[in-house]
Amino acid sequence: MKGLVPYLTGGIGPDWTRYLREYERNGATAIEIGLPFSDPILDGPTIQEASDRALRRGASVSTILDELAAVQLNIPLIAMTYYNLVVHRGPDLFCRELADAGITGLIVPDLPIDEAGVLAAAAEKHGVGLTLLAAPTTPPDRLAEIARRSRGFIYAISVMGTTGERDQIAESGIRLAGELRKLTDKPVLLAFGISRPEHAAAAAGVCDGVVIGAALMRRILDGGTPEELGAVLGEFRVALDTVTV
């Protein structure tokens, strides 16, 4: 089964954990949870707006992890955040708190692979897989190192730019996913700009799954209920299940 990983900004609303349950019920294979940060350099307008809303509500790493710890799910949870929040708590404490909340994966998009050793060691110690990002401009030797050192899966970003909805899936992302699959047996998930079920199906022809972010968060910001968002995700699941590659 192709991977389907929806993104959700932690603390976006008082009932935000209900989206987790609906995503699991509608075919998510894992869920990426954004720990909001005030200066999210990789995030486009939609995710930035979601982070701002969560922060205005008083969401923090501690409150989000406390609420997650009370949720029972049967699929992996992956935290996505920026290195400032990791450094603020210290890599060891940060990873221990993630593990205590039931999170088994971590993505830190602004952490270069050359500087990832300390966090990688702390993550491994606490059973949290540090997943690394690969971009269309990543040189072949560095791409091979990312493929070797990434844990859980490899997070392939389809374009050089910020997150956000797009009219079509970028060819650069398709090429990148193909290159990565030649380098590793680890799952390769494509992210950034997967906005419609047909995008997901096209991507899944060359990779092991997709991450859906802004397309879902925009609907949540516009008032979409957990049940409505679950139904939207279900359409992506149906599209992915038609792919036989």
Side-chain angles (χ1 to χ4, degrees):
M1 181 169 66
K2 294 290 183 177
L4 176 59
V5 182
Y7 169 93
L8 177 66
T9 300
I12 184 67
D15 62 347
W16 73 275
T17 57
R18 288 180 55 210
Y19 292 97
L20 302 176
R21 298 186 181 93
E22 289 299 319
Y23 286 162
E24 179 182 37
R25 195 169 68 83
N26 284 277
T29 55
I31 301 174
E32 181 184 345
I33 298 168
L35 303 179
F37 177 59
S38 57
D39 188 22
I41 58 172
L42 198 68
D43 295 327
T46 298
I47 306 299
Q48 286 186 28
E49 182 181 346
S51 292
D52 288 344
R53 182 179 294 186
L55 291 171
R56 286 197 303 270
R57 285 193 63 250
S60 66
V61 172
S62 294
T63 62
I64 291 169
L65 295 184
D66 284 347
E67 290 174 294
L68 279 177
V71 179
Q72 295 296 319
L73 298 171
N74 297 308
I75 57 176
L77 299 178
I78 304 158
M80 197 292 283
T81 196
Y82 292 88
Y83 198 48
N84 301 62
L85 294 183
V86 178
V87 171
H88 178 72
R89 304 173 94 80
D92 189 79
L93 175 60
F94 185 84
C95 291
R96 176 163 60 82
E97 290 178 326
L98 293 183
D100 289 346
I103 292 175
T104 57
L106 173 62
I107 302 166
V108 184
D110 61 338
L111 178 63
I113 189 172
D114 308 304
E115 302 172 20
V118 172
L119 179 56
E124 184 174 358
K125 173 183 174 183
H126 294 288
V128 175
L130 180 61
T131 292
L132 302 177
L133 279 73
T137 57
T138 303
D141 57 340
R142 200 171 182 86
L143 208 61
E145 185 179 5
I146 289 169
R148 178 176 60 83
R149 292 177 57 182
S150 189
R151 296 292 177 263
F153 62 96
I154 301 165
Y155 195 101
I157 61 176
S158 64
V159 294
M160 293 303 298
T162 57
T163 61
E165 295 180 80
R166 290 176 171 83
D167 290 332
Q168 59 186 14
I169 186 170
E171 248 337 287
S172 55
I174 299 293
R175 288 195 300 271
L176 174 62
E179 291 172 13
L180 284 167
R181 291 187 87 187
K182 295 175 184 176
L183 294 172
T184 180
D185 292 331
K186 295 171 186 172
V188 176
L189 268 62
L190 192 62
F192 285 31
I194 311 295
S195 307
R196 303 169 186 164
E198 57 266 32
H199 294 173
V206 295
C207 67
D208 301 291
V210 294
V211 179
I212 315 295
L216 299 176
M217 290 309 305
R218 170 46 54 198
R219 289 174 170 85
I220 292 175
L221 289 168
D222 289 344
T225 67
E227 292 76 16
E228 290 169 343
L229 268 293
V232 171
L233 190 73
E235 296 174 2
F236 283 89
R237 180 74 269 165
V238 169
L240 287 174
D241 288 345
T242 66
V243 180
T244 59
V245 176

